[in-house]
């Protein structure tokens, strides 16, 4: 159980307002201020600072927020484990990015449910940045992502390595068959929203060529992966997607990979946790595809 002053401090962190924190905690504003001030005296440093009329965490405040959030999450998980008594009763909350959720996770999730038929499982789908925020808040135990994350903040394990490929409709007619990435710049490119793992992967690869998505003749942002695939098959543009997303449609003859001399990209799909040793979830290994119990194979 957290010290009452720490709970109050976290409430102020979440609202960045003494008044709003007081309302949330059903305390008076002076009481909230006094509890935060008492913490500042204990640690000998200011935890908040006003910039104009806005309240901000200091560097010390951010450090305490992270540590206190971890302790609160540990306490909640410990209470769940004590109450559950068994793995099938332990709530498992995790998140997946759009690519993994729509095209990759079904088989390993089915395996988990087969091994633990009564497990209380909740999976949510969102882009990488949202899932990382949900882990920080303790709302999910871990996330399966293809996006980029700060390895200094999060622990991770590689689940698979996937190719990232340019694709178009089979009947798409180029003025001249492209050989290099810059040969595609006159095309309409279909991209995911900012914050998605697929968008991040594309922007980082373009940057290595001194390019951005704005370098293309026309950029169309589409929030859904299925919508992008349908637009591709309708020859509405080109796109850059992970191979598991397009493999079936390429095999079926609706799409084709654009073979470029200067674009050979792979990226890791990872299981990410915040402070893994503190937030370890025992059933999460069942969401991995293994070979011989030790080698990490592809999720599919």
């Amino acid at each position: 159980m957290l010290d009452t002053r720490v709970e109050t401090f976290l409430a102020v962190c979440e609202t960045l307002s003494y008044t709003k924190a007081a309302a949330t905690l059903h305390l008076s504003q002076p009481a909230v201020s006094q509890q935060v001030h008492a913490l500042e005296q204990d640690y000998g440093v200011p935890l908040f600072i006003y910039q104009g009329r806005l309240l901000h965490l200091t560097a010390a405040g951010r450090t305490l927020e992270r540590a206190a959030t971890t302790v609160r999450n540990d306490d909640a998980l410990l209470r769940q484990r004590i109450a559950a008594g068994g793995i099938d009763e332990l709530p498992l909350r995790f998140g997946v990015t759009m690519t993994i959720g729509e095209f990759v996770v079904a088989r390993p999730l089915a395996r988990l449910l087969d091994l633990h038929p009564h497990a209380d499982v909740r999976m949510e789908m969102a882009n990488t940045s949202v899932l990382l925020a949900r882990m920080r808040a303790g709302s999910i135990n871990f996330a399966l992502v293809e996006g980029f994350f700060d390895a200094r903040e999060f622990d991770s394990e590689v689940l698979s390595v996937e190719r990232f490929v340019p694709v178009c409709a089979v009947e798409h007619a180029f003025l001249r068959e492209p050989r290099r990435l810059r040969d595609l710049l006159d095309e309409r490119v279909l991209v995911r929203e900012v914050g998605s793992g697929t968008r991040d992967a594309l922007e980082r690869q373009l940057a290595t060529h001194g390019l951005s998505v704005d370098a293309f003749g026309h950029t169309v942002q589409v929030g859904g992966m299925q919508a992008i695939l349908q637009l591709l098959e309708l020859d509405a543009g080109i796109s850059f997607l992970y191979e598991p997303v397009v493999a079936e449609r390429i095999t079926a003859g609706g799409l084709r990979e654009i073979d470029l001399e200067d674009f050979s990209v792979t990226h890791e799909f990872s299981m990410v946790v915040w402070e893994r040793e503190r937030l370890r979830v025992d059933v999460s290994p069942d969401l991995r595809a293994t070979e011989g119990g030790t080698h990490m194979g592809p999720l599919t």
Side-chain angles (χ1 to χ4, degrees), residues 40-100:
E40 290 177 327
Q41 287 185 316
D42 279 355
Y43 288 105
V45 292
L47 301 174
F48 295 97
I49 188 172
Y50 276 100
Q51 295 180 357
R53 299 180 64 182
L54 299 178
L55 190 65
H56 295 272
L57 278 161
T58 63
R62 286 192 295 272
T63 299
L64 180 59
E65 179 192 27
R66 179 178 176 183
T69 301
T70 298
V71 172
R72 183 169 63 181
N73 294 342
D74 285 355
D75 180 69
L77 183 58
L78 179 60
R79 290 173 184 272
Q80 289 174 353
R81 287 182 170 175
I82 291 174
I87 192 64
D88 286 347
E89 292 79 28
L90 178 63
L92 176 63
R93 308 290 183 259
F94 70 100
V96 295
T97 51
M98 192 78 69
T99 297
I100 293 175

Side-chain angles (χ1 to χ4, degrees), residues 13-26:
C13 291
E14 291 164 5
T15 61
L16 290 179
S17 166
Y18 289 106
T19 301
K20 292 179 181 179
T24 299
L25 298 170
H26 304 291

Side-chain angles (χ1 to χ4, degrees), residues 166-241:
V167 289
C168 65
V170 166
E171 68 273 16
H172 186 77
F174 293 100
L175 293 177
R176 183 179 62 182
E177 188 65 22
R179 298 177 57 192
R180 303 179 67 81
L181 180 61
R182 288 181 179 272
D183 295 338
L184 298 177
L185 295 184
D186 290 333
E187 300 292 324
R188 179 192 296 118
V189 64
L190 310 174
V191 299
R192 287 283 310 282
E193 74 280 3
V194 175
S196 73
T198 303
R199 175 69 174 263
D200 286 347
L202 175 58
E203 290 181 337
R204 287 172 184 255
Q205 289 306 317
L206 290 175
T208 65
H209 292 266
L211 301 171
S212 70
V213 293
D214 296 330
F216 288 87
H218 187 196
T219 301
V220 177
Q221 181 173 300
V222 182
M225 193 68 75
Q226 292 291 348
I228 289 180
L229 290 171
Q230 291 171 16
L231 288 169
L232 284 170
E233 290 197 327
L234 292 170
D235 200 15
I238 68 168
S239 192
F240 296 77
L241 299 171

Side-chain angles (χ1 to χ4, degrees), residues 83-153:
I87 192 64
D88 286 347
E89 292 79 28
L90 178 63
L92 176 63
R93 308 290 183 259
F94 70 100
V96 295
T97 51
M98 192 78 69
T99 297
I100 293 175
E102 291 189 359
F103 300 96
V104 177
V105 79
R107 289 182 183 178
L109 181 56
R111 182 172 61 252
L112 181 146
L113 295 175
D114 182 57
L115 292 171
H116 306 286
H118 304 294
D120 179 6
V121 178
R122 306 281 176 86
M123 183 188 84
E124 65 177 81
M125 202 172 341
N127 66 38
T128 301
S129 59
V130 171
L131 294 179
L132 297 182
R134 298 277 286 161
M135 275 192 290
R136 292 186 188 97
S139 301
I140 57 176
N141 304 119
F142 64 92
L144 307 180
V145 305
E146 86 272 11
F148 294 87
F149 54 89
D150 187 347
R152 296 169 299 180
E153 181 180 7

